[in-house]
Amino acid sequence: MIDRARALALLHARIRACTKCVDAGYLDRAQPIVAGSIRDRIAIIGQAPGEVELTTGKPFSGRAGAELRRWLAEAGIDEDHLPYRTAITKCFPGKSPTGSGDRRPSPPEIALCAPWLENELALLKPRVILLVGGLAIERFWGKVSLESAVGTARVQDGVTYVPLPHPSGASRWLNDPAHRVLLHKGLGHLRRAARALDSPSRGRTMQIRR
Ligand code: SF4
């Protein structure tokens, strides 16, 4: 455990020193943000940090993060036990040119950042992964509509994947009451997966729960 903890600390240091997107001309400034401990068995994968996170240095610390923490609380996960928090790309990508929310990282930026996430997951070996927002869902679940993914959970190789919408107010998806029902269903899956973490009878085959 100590070796893995040291390896994760080293990985975090390497991530925080990363300037690949600046060097490639995609970002003016790199400030990679990631947080968590090797003991975390639940990991949250979002899209990318927001502007607020630039000042706090912690993932999900802005308004969207506050909403996400309310969702976690509904699933029985409190502030003192926040999961590992990372993202598809780890630097603030800037505001969207449309003026609504943050810019979606481009495929080349995602490709540049992907090895960091792969290394994090390989070291952490989380048992439950929350896929927060379309980009994370697309990477780990496939290119599907939010309606078809949120409200379900998939168990694959002993890892439970729970897709959730992005908690940012920029997303209108949650304005539909039917979508909020799906969100609460998804949080129910998260609650059960978090409770089952100590159960030895977790299957390795793929199954989808609805
Ligand atoms: S987004 Fe990822 S690859 Fe790009 S500079 Fe930040 S940490 Fe490095």
Side-chain angles (χ1 to χ4, degrees):
M1 174 71 91
I2 289 174
D3 284 349
R4 286 178 59 235
R6 278 198 191 127
L8 187 64
L10 186 62
L11 177 60
H12 282 181
R14 290 173 60 214
I15 291 173
R16 288 181 183 123
C18 178
T19 59
K20 285 193 279 186
C21 290
V22 176
D23 302 342
Y26 299 119
L27 294 178
D28 292 335
R29 174 188 174 202
Q31 188 177 329
I33 294 172
V34 60
S37 140
I38 198 71
R39 288 184 296 278
D40 292 329
R41 290 179 298 167
I42 303 176
I44 302 175
I45 302 176
Q47 175 168 302
E51 201 166 20
V52 175
E53 282 77 13
L54 288 182
T55 49
T56 64
K58 290 187 183 148
F60 293 106
S61 48
R63 218 168 46 179
E67 178 69 356
L68 181 66
R69 289 196 296 281
R70 277 191 285 276
W71 295 355
L72 292 175
E74 180 178 330
I77 300 169
D78 63 33
E79 288 274 345
D80 294 333
H81 300 88
L82 286 180
Y84 189 89
R85 283 152 287 151
T86 187
I88 296 290
T89 62
K90 312 208 191 298
C91 294
F92 173 55
K95 290 292 178 192
S96 164
T98 66
S100 167
D102 295 343
R103 180 177 68 83
R104 185 181 168 104
S106 65
E109 291 165 274
I110 294 170
L112 280 177
C113 212
W116 294 134
L117 184 56
E118 283 160 19
N119 285 330
E120 289 172 275
L121 295 179
L123 262 178
L124 194 65
K125 298 190 190 341
R127 305 288 300 276
V128 180
I129 296 182
L130 300 191
L131 305 171
V132 176
L135 206 53
I137 293 172
E138 189 175 319
R139 164 71 180 76
F140 288 91
W141 193 278
K143 203 162 184 165
V144 295
S145 66
L146 275 180
E147 288 87 330
S148 68
V150 176
T152 71
R154 174 186 287 171
V155 183
Q156 189 168 4
D157 296 330
V159 180
T160 302
Y161 294 85
V162 181
L164 296 177
H166 200 279
S168 152
S171 165
R172 303 269 174 267
W173 192 80
L174 282 168
N175 291 351
D176 183 333
H179 293 166
R180 293 205 75 86
V181 171
L182 292 177
L183 166 66
H184 295 302
K185 219 170 149 191
L187 294 175
H189 286 299
L190 172 58
R191 173 185 285 273
R192 284 187 289 282
R195 279 188 182 158
L197 278 174
D198 296 323
S199 163
S201 60
R202 293 165 61 86
R204 293 186 64 79
T205 51
M206 186 202 286
Q207 56 190 98
I208 294 189
R209 296 169 179 158
R210 297 192 179 275

